[in-house]
Amino acid sequence: MPARSYDTLQGTLERITYINEENHYVVARLQVPGRRDLATIVGNLPTVTPGETLKLTGEWVQHNRYGEQFKVETFETIAPATLTGIEKYLGSGLIKGIGPIFARKLVEAFDIGTLRIIEEEPSRLLTVDGIGEVRLHRIRTAWEEQKEIREVMIFLQGHGVSSAYAAKIFKTYGKSSIAIVQENPYRLAKDIYGIGFKTADRIAQAIGIEPHSPLRVEAGVIHVLNELASGEGHVYYPLDGLTKASAGILEVDEDLTTQAIERLRHEERVICEPGPHGVAVYLASLYAAEEGVARRLQALAEGGALPADIDIERAILWSEQVNRLSLAEQQKEAIREALIRKLLVITGGPGTGKTTILRCILQILEKKHRRMLLCSPTGRAAKRMSEATGREAKTIHRLLEFSPKDGRFKRDQHRPLEADLVIVDEASMIDVVLMNSLLKAIPPAAGLILVGDVDQLPSVGPGAILRDIIASSLVPVIRLSEIFRQARESQIVINAHRINRGEFPFCADWEAQEQGDCYLLAKTEALEVQAAILELASRGLPTRHRVDPLEELQILSPMQKGPIGAMQLNQALQARLNPSGPELLRAGRLYRLGDRVMQIRNNYDKDVYNGDIGRIVTLDMEDREVTVQFDDRQVTYDFNDLDELVLAYAVTIHKSQGSEYPVVIIPVHTAHYVMLQRNLLYTAITRGRRLVVLVGTKKAIAIAVKNQKIQLRYTGLASRLQKGRQEPALSLALSE
């Protein structure tokens, strides 16, 4: 069969009109000598920058909609040779520290020799107005990195790795990038946020790693366990299910995944032990965390009582007098237990007096000069705790003094917290790894109080800590059920408890303009629900209730996808609430100045965490940076790190845990049938402080209220606490 013949094309890249950051498919316009009109080129072009001269091979095709296009097969780049080309090239944002303004200044100063000057005589850039030693250093560093990054990008260009990810690979591995990728591409999935197993696997197979390779199968098993932990909250997974799931993803025989699990067990990368669902397979890190939590909770529970130097009944009476209130018997019992127990759980829904109990405990112990520390899993929850108690509360990460440089907490069993009592709010949100880190840092003589609502959703991360602790019966539990007078005036609170009891909520009719703080706006079709939410956000709530949609309103959706999922709602709300201004398209996402955004992973270097919400306050095209205001501080992101941020006009209910918002809109529709669960609706309702609007159908609400099924999480904590199991079963054979 004769070799296929291709056309050739050469010209200057004028502009990029579309780029898919996932696979770097590009639609661009090329200035070709001798052609009056710009040529449209399409194809995978991961390294190109406006202003460059491109030598292309490919073929001309006729697109039904867009007309004539040159479909690129191969390409090479040539540094721009014209003044216009040089200015476009430098102004594209390729080199950090040079944007359109400085690109023009440099070309005006150095003419056609601009690129040579940057390469060979960079100190001459100091003669240009606005370029000092700091900016010069940034430009030189970025220029050298860009040359090396290009090598990495050329190596990866055929394997679906975007330029942004190539930059991250280089940032992580430096000059060793290509060598590391060639040796074990599966490291990318573990080391670099945003590069998943599938991308790493694609690279691996492209460089010659066989589909049945032990390296690939082991990496696949670890990937499945990580996905089950981060996506579904499992601490372990039954062997049979893991074998099948891994074989399915890898498209190999189950025998190969079984053998891989056995090898991983011998290397102690996974731990296996008998469980209620057959052999339980743990990632070694999660096994260590769960075993550590069990052992440390047992030590606290068995550690006796706190110092008995308080006349408890007199102290309770004094607290009532100071606060001018009369405590309910449940509240008094919680205070009694808190003053004598080294370990206590206080759980209850909204309006049941948890905050009042905490204030009384703190007042009493302060009189006795006890050292107390308050914390919560998220920044927003910690802030609410501070406001409610009048005392400083920190995130658990800040309390434990996380060091990004070392990748660990400075506070642990060797350097414990200086406290007599540690109180944790929103304890249902803590995953097993964070709980283990916290328990390590609690001094042997100190007490621990866990406060939370066990009926809310469990943690985003692996484990069901609060639920497991309560289920174990090892720890004293105070269950608060009485709703107090002030809370009884709130329909939001009343409805939350009704939902929790399996009863249909009472909602005022929005369209009938009834009065209340909990409304139902009935809409039948999913697209009608979306349109109603947009109208409520932009006009209805601002007009009727003087709601600032950018500051006070949060849409909470059960799911990410679909017309009333968080993703589509975000795009529609951005267009409606923040339609214009400076903007940036990155990784298929449009970021605009003023946008409400959310951090979607823990970034310890920046001290921002999964679920933190802020506003974009600067968008710097020169320095390729975005600045986000989170509550009382600003955080700067390089453009390559923007995959950590998503729009947050709408967020999933799972992501809203630990937060409260003045006003909440919740789509409730059978389009989200699989997510219509009681604890999900309950959690969503309890996020609203002043006003809640349900948009959808009564049928969907009824389904959610009746569906008490809690998604199973494979965890071993409750049984460990019950049985006192301590030692890992490293010698266990998989056939047992």
Side-chain angles (χ1 to χ4, degrees):
M1 189 175 175
R4 190 172 180 181
S5 72
Y6 286 108
D7 297 318
T8 60
L9 193 66
Q10 181 168 322
T12 302
L13 188 65
E14 183 69 19
R15 63 181 179 271
I16 295 173
T17 58
Y18 170 80
I19 182 169
N20 183 328
E21 290 283 356
E22 296 303 314
N23 59 17
H24 227 90
Y25 179 83
V26 165
V27 180
R29 303 280 278 169
L30 195 74
Q31 181 71 62
V32 181
R35 283 178 67 106
R36 190 176 71 176
D37 299 326
L38 296 175
T40 300
I41 62 172
V42 299
N44 294 96
L45 302 160
T47 65
V48 297
T49 304
E52 290 180 317
T53 297
L54 302 181
K55 281 186 176 180
L56 311 169
T57 64
E59 60 183 337
W60 290 100
V61 297
Q62 194 70 25
H63 192 280
N64 291 335
R65 184 174 177 186
Y66 299 110
E68 188 181 55
Q69 299 177 337
F70 190 83
K71 189 177 179 182
V72 179
E73 282 296 319
T74 65
F75 74 98
E76 62 178 293
T77 61
I78 302 169
T82 66
L83 290 180
T84 302
I86 292 169
E87 187 176 331
K88 282 185 180 294
Y89 178 74
L90 292 175
S92 67
L94 182 74
I95 310 300
K96 192 169 183 178
I98 305 179
I101 295 170
F102 278 103
R104 183 170 294 117
K105 287 183 177 182
L106 289 169
V107 169
E108 288 173 353
F110 303 118
D111 203 74
I112 204 73
T114 300
L115 298 182
R116 185 192 64 77
I117 296 292
I118 296 173
E119 173 73 26
E120 300 176 5
E121 302 177 76
S123 59
R124 289 180 61 184
L125 271 58
L126 292 169
T127 63
V128 176
D129 184 44
I131 297 181
E133 291 289 350
V134 173
R135 187 175 291 273
L136 175 63
H137 177 72
R138 291 172 67 188
I139 292 171
R140 290 182 67 176
T141 302
W143 181 262
E144 291 301 317
E145 282 188 357
Q146 192 59 38
K147 289 196 298 184
E148 292 168 344
I149 286 172
R150 179 152 296 210
E151 284 185 41
V152 176
M153 292 178 72
I154 290 170
F155 173 72
L156 297 171
Q157 68 180 343
H159 310 311
V161 180
S162 72
S163 59
Y165 290 158
K168 287 190 173 191
I169 292 170
F170 182 81
K171 187 177 179 180
T172 305
Y173 302 135
K175 294 179 180 179
S176 305
S177 295
I178 292 175
I180 288 171
V181 170
Q182 287 176 321
E183 180 187 356
N184 182 6
Y186 296 104
R187 283 184 59 178
L188 299 176
K190 178 174 74 71
D191 296 343
I192 300 171
Y193 176 74
I195 294 184
F197 175 80
K198 289 182 179 178
T199 299
D201 195 39
R202 203 162 48 240
I203 297 168
Q205 294 190 51
I207 63 176
I209 292 175
E210 295 293 329
H212 298 87
S213 160
L215 178 68
R216 178 175 185 259
V217 182
E218 289 170 17
V221 170
I222 296 295
H223 161 70
V224 170
L225 279 172
N226 275 313
E227 286 294 296
L228 289 165
S230 61
E232 299 181 27
H234 300 300
V235 182
Y236 72 84
Y237 209 69
L239 173 63
D240 289 346
L242 177 62
T243 302
K244 287 183 174 68
S246 302
I249 285 175
L250 296 167
E251 297 181 345
V252 300
D253 291 338
E254 289 182 21
D255 287 348
L256 289 177
T257 56
T258 301
Q259 292 164 18
I261 295 168
E262 180 69 15
R263 289 192 300 273
L264 291 167
R265 186 181 67 80
H266 279 292
E267 295 170 9
E268 298 185 17
R269 293 168 66 189
V270 303
I271 306 296
C272 300
E273 67 175 24
H277 303 91
V279 175
V281 186
Y282 289 81
L283 288 168
S285 59
L286 293 184
Y287 183 92
E290 188 176 85
E291 189 275 333
V293 169
R295 176 161 38 84
R296 292 182 173 92
L297 284 175
Q298 285 167 342
L300 274 170
E302 297 164 2
L306 292 170
D309 59 344
I310 299 174
D311 186 324
I312 293 175
E313 298 309 318
R314 282 186 64 188
I316 291 173
L317 181 61
W318 170 81
S319 184
E320 288 181 311
Q321 292 169 345
V322 167
N323 294 293
R324 297 180 181 179
L325 52 79
S326 178
L327 293 167
E329 188 52 42
Q330 279 185 339
Q331 293 177 305
K332 292 179 182 179
E333 185 59 24
I335 296 169
R336 291 187 191 103
E337 293 292 309
L339 296 177
I340 60 171
R341 300 279 186 182
K342 290 194 68 178
L343 182 59
L344 178 68
V345 170
I346 300 173
T347 183
T352 55
K354 296 190 294 293
T355 301
T356 300
I357 291 167
L358 288 185
R359 280 201 297 261
C360 292
I361 292 167
L362 292 166
Q363 288 170 339
I364 292 168
L365 292 177
E366 281 172 349
K367 280 288 183 182
K368 291 293 182 178
H369 307 291
R370 302 281 168 78
R371 299 168 301 170
M372 288 163 293
L373 293 173
L374 281 62
C375 62
S376 192
T378 69
R380 284 179 171 255
K383 186 179 180 182
R384 286 200 296 111
M385 194 182 188
S386 291
E387 291 168 352
T389 62
R391 294 155 179 87
E392 184 185 23
K394 297 179 179 179
T395 64
I396 296 174
H397 284 88
R398 286 183 180 169
L399 185 73
L400 301 181
E401 300 174 21
F402 185 84
S403 169
K405 184 180 178 182
D406 302 325
R408 63 180 184 83
F409 295 108
K410 292 181 180 179
R411 295 286 184 175
D412 55 19
Q413 63 269 41
H414 306 296
R415 187 170 172 256
L417 297 165
E418 296 170 6
D420 301 308
L421 177 66
V422 177
I423 301 176
V424 185
D425 198 16
E426 297 287 355
S428 62
M429 296 181 62
I430 307 175
D431 64 40
V432 68
V433 176
L434 187 58
M435 187 66 176
N436 188 42
S437 297
L438 175 63
L439 291 170
K440 282 181 184 178
I442 293 176
L448 173 67
I449 298 176
L450 300 172
V451 184
D453 186 350
V454 74
D455 295 314
Q456 286 190 25
L457 295 169
S459 59
V460 174
I465 293 293
L466 190 62
R467 190 174 296 155
D468 283 354
I469 290 173
I470 293 172
S472 74
S473 301
L474 175 77
V475 179
V477 178
I478 301 295
R479 295 179 181 270
L480 304 172
S481 55
E482 184 179 347
I483 306 173
F484 293 96
R485 181 182 61 79
Q486 189 174 357
R488 285 199 300 270
E489 296 172 0
S490 166
Q491 207 62 47
I492 296 172
V493 172
I494 296 297
N495 280 335
H497 286 272
R498 285 185 63 84
I499 290 166
N500 208 26
R501 294 193 301 268
E503 300 169 9
F504 198 91
F506 295 127
C507 299
D509 188 327
W510 176 268
E511 291 189 315
Q513 299 204 11
E514 295 176 1
Q515 295 300 307
D517 62 5
C518 191
Y519 290 93
L520 172 62
L521 175 53
K523 297 293 175 184
T524 305
E525 301 297 326
L527 287 175
E528 290 179 335
V529 173
Q530 185 192 89
I533 290 171
L534 296 178
E535 181 64 17
L536 279 169
S538 59
R539 294 180 56 184
L541 286 167
T543 303
R544 277 177 57 176
H545 292 274
R546 298 182 179 179
V547 174
D548 182 341
L550 292 176
E551 294 292 340
E552 299 179 294
L553 174 62
Q554 185 64 62
I555 287 82
L556 302 180
S557 177
M559 297 182 75
Q560 281 284 7
K561 297 181 179 179
I564 48 177
M567 293 172 67
Q568 284 196 34
L569 283 173
N570 268 318
Q571 293 172 357
L573 287 159
Q574 181 190 49
R576 185 69 68 93
L577 300 177
N578 190 28
S580 62
E583 61 186 37
L584 169 72
L585 184 64
R586 197 74 179 173
R589 298 176 184 145
L590 182 66
Y591 301 91
R592 192 171 284 144
L593 188 66
D595 272 340
R596 186 181 179 107
V597 291
M598 179 173 63
Q599 178 78 14
I600 58 172
R601 67 177 287 251
N602 290 337
N603 187 322
Y604 303 109
D605 292 322
K606 297 184 187 298
D607 196 22
V608 287
Y609 302 98
N610 192 351
D612 286 354
I613 289 178
R615 292 273 299 276
I616 295 177
V617 291
T618 66
L619 216 164
D620 190 334
M621 304 302 290
E622 293 282 333
D623 289 340
R624 296 173 59 78
E625 291 177 343
V626 169
T627 304
V628 179
Q629 182 78 44
F630 290 102
D631 291 328
D632 57 348
R633 65 195 191 89
Q634 293 187 349
V635 178
T636 299
Y637 294 79
D638 184 271
F639 282 4
N640 288 327
D641 295 327
L642 288 179
D643 57 348
E644 297 184 12
L645 292 175
V646 297
L647 293 177
Y649 300 100
V651 302
T652 64
I653 296 168
H654 283 86
K655 287 287 190 184
S656 73
Q657 293 178 83
S659 298
E660 274 190 355
Y661 313 95
V663 181
V664 164
I665 298 175
I666 309 164
V668 189
H669 193 272
T670 50
H672 293 156
Y673 185 83
V674 295
M675 298 300 288
L676 292 176
Q677 300 165 3
R678 185 184 297 178
N679 64 345
L680 201 73
L681 183 58
Y682 172 76
T683 300
I685 289 266
T686 58
R687 301 306 89 198
R689 191 165 59 245
R690 192 171 91 225
L691 192 65
V692 170
V693 185
L694 301 174
V695 185
T697 66
K698 289 184 177 182
K699 180 182 177 181
I701 296 171
I703 292 170
V705 169
K706 289 176 184 176
N707 183 8
Q708 200 179 0
K709 187 178 178 181
I710 295 172
Q711 187 177 356
L712 174 65
R713 287 195 171 190
Y714 291 111
T715 72
L717 180 60
S719 61
R720 288 185 196 283
L721 292 172
Q722 290 164 346
K723 298 175 184 178
R725 198 162 55 196
Q726 300 283 324
E727 297 300 322
L730 294 177
S731 61
L732 182 75
L734 295 181
S735 60
E736 291 180 5

